[in-house]
Amino acid sequence: MKINTVLFDLDGTLINTNELIIASFLHTLDTYYPDTYKREDVLAFIGPSLRETFSSMDLERTEEMIQAYREFNHAHHDELVQEYETVYETVEQLAKQGYKLGIVTTKARKTVEMGLDLTKLHQFFDVIVTIDDVEHVKPHPEPIEKALRLLDANPATTLMVGDNHHDVLGGKNAGTKTAGVAWTIKGRDYLAAYKPDYMLEKMSDLLTIL
């Protein structure tokens, strides 16, 4: 069956928010746990929701820490976020060719809008499912299934593209095809271990695959 729908994760997939996320975690953790966390310690926090990460540290102060993280994140957003090569051209091409396009992310909507406005990618997506729209986050199938419903799409003809095991497993759980991105900050081998159907070296590889 031919793929006619492509769902993307946002951070680390469409836009390079890695430095922003790492800086936001280090700022927050330094406030609450001075001199405890280093850069390499926070890589594990990329992917899960903020609530999942911070509640495992301190249930009492979870909301407070999320707030501190988001304030720093929004304040430094535009200076630290960058585009990945070939993303804009590829997404633009897919939109022109009539693919149904959606974003499924574990971020809050406000931050998502900031990233899409900055990169001008907003115009190409019919559907954006954020953490504000669901009960469960990836790898639970709910956010992907929600995007499929909104796009009136069939999982069998859908490809889920992401930089984290949450994306690959979420796609598998929802019954879609999956693609990992080799530029994931966690390293290509880490992602390959979850056996996505495809591995993209750069986003424009999608045009060949599809």
Side-chain angles (χ1 to χ4, degrees):
M1 284 174 98
K2 194 176 177 312
I3 298 289
N4 61 19
T5 305
V6 188
L7 300 177
F8 295 89
D9 174 52
L10 182 65
D11 290 342
T13 302
L14 289 174
I15 57 177
N16 186 351
T17 46
N18 291 325
E19 290 312 314
L20 177 66
I21 291 171
I22 291 166
S24 303
F25 270 121
L26 288 174
H27 164 80
T28 308
L29 293 168
D30 223 38
T31 307
Y32 289 88
Y33 306 96
D35 306 323
T36 312
Y37 289 89
K38 292 193 182 63
R39 183 187 169 88
E40 55 273 21
D41 302 326
V42 303
L43 292 184
F45 305 150
I46 298 180
S49 69
L50 293 176
R51 180 157 284 105
E52 199 180 318
T53 297
F54 291 136
S55 63
S56 67
M57 294 176 186
D58 186 343
L59 214 44
E60 300 270 295
R61 295 193 294 181
T62 302
E63 291 307 320
E64 209 179 300
M65 288 161 86
I66 290 175
Q67 192 55 37
Y69 175 100
R70 287 198 175 138
E71 277 173 14
F72 180 93
N73 188 286
H74 291 171
H76 297 273
H77 184 280
D78 290 7
E79 74 196 64
L80 291 176
V81 170
Q82 294 171 313
E83 272 186 54
Y84 287 115
E85 57 165 354
T86 78
V87 165
Y88 186 90
E89 301 83 341
T90 303
V91 174
E92 181 180 40
Q93 198 54 43
L94 293 175
K96 277 186 183 150
Q97 289 173 17
Y99 283 88
K100 298 178 186 178
L101 302 177
I103 288 174
V104 182
T105 171
T106 311
K107 270 180 118 157
R109 186 164 291 275
K110 183 181 176 195
T111 324
V112 171
E113 303 280 354
M114 289 172 75
L116 293 176
D117 289 345
L118 185 69
T119 52
K120 309 279 186 283
L121 286 167
H122 218 293
Q123 54 189 318
F124 303 123
F125 292 98
D126 310 305
V127 161
I128 298 166
V129 176
T130 72
I131 195 167
D132 303 325
D133 307 313
V134 293
E135 296 267 314
H136 307 281
V137 296
K138 299 172 290 186
H140 193 286
E142 184 197 348
I144 294 171
E145 287 169 352
K146 177 157 191 165
L148 293 172
R149 270 199 314 281
L150 292 168
L151 286 165
D152 194 19
N154 177 345
T157 54
T158 299
L159 181 66
M160 175 71 213
V161 182
D163 69 315
N164 220 306
H165 72 272
H166 301 74
D167 305 309
V168 176
L169 295 179
K172 288 178 192 274
N173 290 339
T176 72
K177 290 269 185 284
T178 58
V181 302
W183 55 90
T184 167
I185 195 166
K186 298 196 174 178
R188 184 203 169 100
D189 294 348
Y190 161 86
L191 204 51
Y194 293 90
K195 305 202 166 22
D197 298 297
Y198 306 100
M199 187 64 87
L200 311 177
E201 297 303 324
K202 53 185 185 306
M203 195 57 89
S204 54
D205 291 352
L206 265 183
L207 300 172
T208 320
I209 290 168
L210 296 171

